[in-house]
Amino acid sequence: MIKFIKYILAIFLFSFAFTAAKAQFIQVKDGRFYLNSKPYHYIGANYWYGSLLGGKGDTTKGKQRIRQELDFMKKNGITNLRILAGAEGEGIINGIERVNPALQPNKGVFDENVIKGLDFLLYEMGKRGIYAVIYLSNNWEWSGGFLQYLNWNGQLDSLTLRKKPTWDEQRDYTSKFYKCKQCIEDYKRQANHIINRVNTYTGKPYVNDKTIMAWELANEPRPMRPESINEYTAWIKDVTEMIKAKDQNHLVTIGTEGSIGTENSDQLYEQIHASKNVDYLTIHIWPKNWKWFSDNRIAEGMPTIIANTNKFINRNSAAAIHLRKPLVIEEFGLPRDGHSYEPTATTKYRDRYFQTIFELLAKSKAKSGVLAGCNFWAFGGVARPVKNQLFWKEGDNFMGDPPMEEQGLNTVFDSDLTTWMLIKKYANILSK
């Protein structure tokens, strides 16, 4: 009898310990995020370049920047960062300099020093209680992404890879990724290299690191052409199953922009998020790219910008409500007043736009709605644009804007005091 009691007690203690350990990871239940059994809502930032700062080159300077910027964000209420796992390939792509150093400079070759930058970033984020959403590749060229896999596998020649394509050409090229079996195997090799990683600073496997909130399949993966939808959905099914088989602790999401990234199909948007292996939905909102204002007239366009933003969120929230899964606005941004790239320019209309998003998030929290978090695009921290130079060049400091965009276009600098006051105010509201 005593042995039986000890046996039952041992099972109970093991179950309790397992539940307590699991509770440290962000989970999804009834359409909401939970952290330590409490609803988790957040204001976060895109800090895609953070993984590139501390692993190669002047690592002392890069690590110091990471510490300084994480301290700043934590102080101002940021508890979630969306991060690029690593770039693929090197050199000019689509007419621009891609970001570097590359995690995978050549096919199947991974640079150990580069991924140590991601190790360090996660290590420092863990100290501060900041959570990471890590995207494993990119639909777009600025970090190599799908086009690089096509090039490595003979589906896109190097001359075509380097020149700037038209939009229709880019759609044609990128859509081939989902039909290229070897491209997908190479993508999965990189994903496995990251997910199976053991952090050199903590000695902890990534799969056991509670600092990681979620794995994201890619940045804005689109079918790009209707003819690739079947292969696109098959890729999502295949990769999400692979990740969940390896990692039961972390959430998985796709990284979609919403219905605008699924050939304007609400049905496809809901379909790809319906799987038990996809834990939450995402949308991205880009008023400038989607031509919600004319030329550079942001002030005149604000009524349309806000109306269309509400409409887009409501449209995509329908799928989240039906699926009973959280929804995150993980990219949104607006240029500075007058469409200036200068850090000294005011941000009156950007602040108004951010407040619109934050207020919707606060109301959703109050009503236990599906809208659970947001990551503005993008944190630029201490970096500043190079005078008389619009675009990024190798050796420049990274900021929020990727190389193909004007530096300072959508970046939120640490000097944008009115924006940070707004972020901190709503972060406090969400934390209560």
Side-chain angles (χ1 to χ4, degrees):
M1 185 65 178
I2 293 175
K3 287 184 177 180
F4 178 74
I5 293 173
K6 287 182 177 179
Y7 174 73
I8 295 298
L9 182 61
I11 293 176
F12 173 78
L13 291 174
F14 175 81
S15 177
F16 177 80
F18 177 81
T19 302
K22 189 75 173 177
Q24 295 177 344
F25 294 89
I26 296 173
Q27 299 173 287
V28 168
K29 182 180 178 182
D30 296 327
R32 305 176 79 182
F33 292 128
Y34 280 83
L35 176 60
N36 296 328
S37 301
K38 296 180 180 179
Y40 172 64
H41 298 81
Y42 65 87
I43 292 178
N46 279 272
Y47 192 47
W48 57 265
Y49 57 86
S51 60
L52 304 178
L53 297 178
K56 203 167 185 179
D58 188 349
T59 58
T60 300
K61 183 179 178 180
K63 289 175 180 177
Q64 179 55 38
R65 180 179 173 185
I66 287 172
R67 293 190 189 100
Q68 180 180 350
E69 293 185 336
L70 290 180
D71 284 342
F72 177 88
M73 286 189 279
K74 180 67 175 180
K75 179 182 176 183
N76 286 280
I78 298 298
T79 59
N80 189 287
L81 297 176
R82 184 167 174 260
I83 298 160
L84 169 71
E88 300 98 342
E90 298 178 317
I92 299 295
I93 184 169
N94 280 14
I96 64 165
E97 295 185 47
R98 80 184 85 188
V99 299
N100 62 75
L103 168 62
Q104 189 179 180
N106 298 293
K107 180 179 177 179
V109 178
F110 298 95
D111 192 325
E112 172 67 14
N113 289 324
V114 172
I115 200 168
K116 283 181 179 178
L118 180 57
D119 288 349
F120 182 78
L121 178 61
L122 291 173
Y123 168 57
E124 292 293 336
M125 288 173 64
K127 291 180 184 179
R128 295 162 176 82
I130 300 175
Y131 294 89
V133 175
I134 302 175
Y135 53 95
L136 300 169
S137 190
N138 201 342
N139 185 78
W140 309 114
E141 72 282 355
W142 51 270
S143 63
F146 295 169
L147 289 182
Q148 184 59 69
Y149 288 116
L150 287 163
N151 173 252
W152 279 334
N153 288 286
Q155 302 297 306
L156 188 67
D157 66 84
S158 296
L159 180 62
T160 302
L161 181 74
R162 287 194 295 271
K163 72 176 185 179
K164 185 174 178 60
T166 65
W167 172 236
D168 281 338
E169 287 173 337
Q170 184 156 6
R171 291 180 70 194
D172 288 339
Y173 301 154
T174 310
S175 66
K176 294 179 181 179
F177 171 79
Y178 305 104
K179 299 180 181 181
C180 175
K181 292 183 179 179
Q182 189 55 53
C183 297
I184 291 172
E185 288 305 307
D186 289 346
Y187 159 90
K188 288 164 71 174
R189 184 182 295 114
Q190 174 161 299
N192 281 314
H193 186 78
I194 298 159
I195 294 167
N196 295 330
R197 176 78 176 171
V198 176
N199 193 308
T200 54
Y201 290 90
T202 65
K204 184 181 296 184
Y206 276 18
V207 295
N208 294 330
D209 189 350
K210 67 178 183 179
T211 301
I212 298 171
M213 169 178 159
W215 300 112
E216 187 166 284
L217 271 55
N219 176 48
E220 300 187 341
R222 294 181 171 200
M224 300 297 275
R225 289 291 188 189
E227 295 79 13
S228 294
I229 286 175
N230 289 340
E231 290 82 5
Y232 170 73
T233 56
W235 171 75
I236 291 170
K237 181 178 184 295
D238 180 29
V239 178
T240 54
E241 286 178 353
M242 179 195 78
I243 296 173
K244 284 293 188 179
K246 294 176 176 297
D247 185 350
Q248 295 291 313
N249 289 324
H250 295 114
L251 305 178
V252 172
T253 194
I254 300 168
T256 53
E257 302 151 274
S259 54
I260 199 168
T262 53
E263 299 299 313
N264 272 316
S265 170
D266 296 346
Q267 181 181 359
L268 178 58
Y269 177 68
E270 181 169 335
Q271 176 190 338
I272 60 176
H273 289 96
S275 167
K276 66 178 181 180
N277 295 316
V278 178
D279 294 294
Y280 66 96
L281 296 77
T282 62
I283 59 173
H284 300 179
I285 310 175
W286 285 109
K288 174 180 168 62
N289 297 355
W290 300 349
K291 303 186 186 307
W292 288 354
F293 61 90
S294 301
D295 301 321
N296 297 331
R297 293 178 292 187
I298 299 170
E300 295 89 336
M302 282 305 293
T304 300
I305 290 168
I306 291 174
N308 285 352
T309 292
N310 284 317
K311 183 178 179 181
F312 190 72
I313 292 171
N314 289 335
R315 175 181 177 180
N316 290 278
S317 293
I321 292 167
H322 186 241
L323 297 173
R324 295 184 61 79
K325 295 181 180 182
L327 175 69
V328 173
I329 308 172
E330 64 170 18
E331 284 188 20
F332 62 97
L334 200 66
R336 309 176 83 83
D337 296 344
H339 208 282
S340 174
Y341 309 130
E342 291 297 324
T344 53
T346 56
T347 57
K348 176 182 176 181
Y349 295 103
R350 176 189 286 172
D351 291 349
R352 184 186 299 180
Y353 188 56
F354 277 26
Q355 184 167 7
T356 298
I357 302 290
F358 299 159
E359 190 62 32
L360 289 172
L361 184 54
K363 289 179 179 177
S364 178
K365 177 183 185 294
K367 297 180 179 179
S368 299
V370 294
L371 186 57
C374 67
N375 298 77
F376 68 82
W377 188 282
F379 180 69
V382 299
R384 298 292 185 270
V386 177
K387 191 172 182 179
N388 299 322
Q389 177 186 308
L390 274 182
F391 297 99
W392 184 85
K393 293 182 179 179
E394 186 170 351
D396 293 347
N397 284 329
F398 288 119
M399 57 187 68
D401 306 295
M404 76 290 190
E405 293 182 342
E406 299 90 344
Q407 299 298 283
L409 175 64
N410 294 301
T411 290
V412 176
F413 299 103
D414 60 358
S415 57
D416 290 328
L417 300 183
T418 57
T419 307
W420 287 108
M421 287 173 61
L422 193 65
I423 290 169
K424 191 170 185 178
K425 171 187 173 181
Y426 280 92
N428 287 336
I429 291 172
L430 294 175
S431 67
K432 293 179 181 177

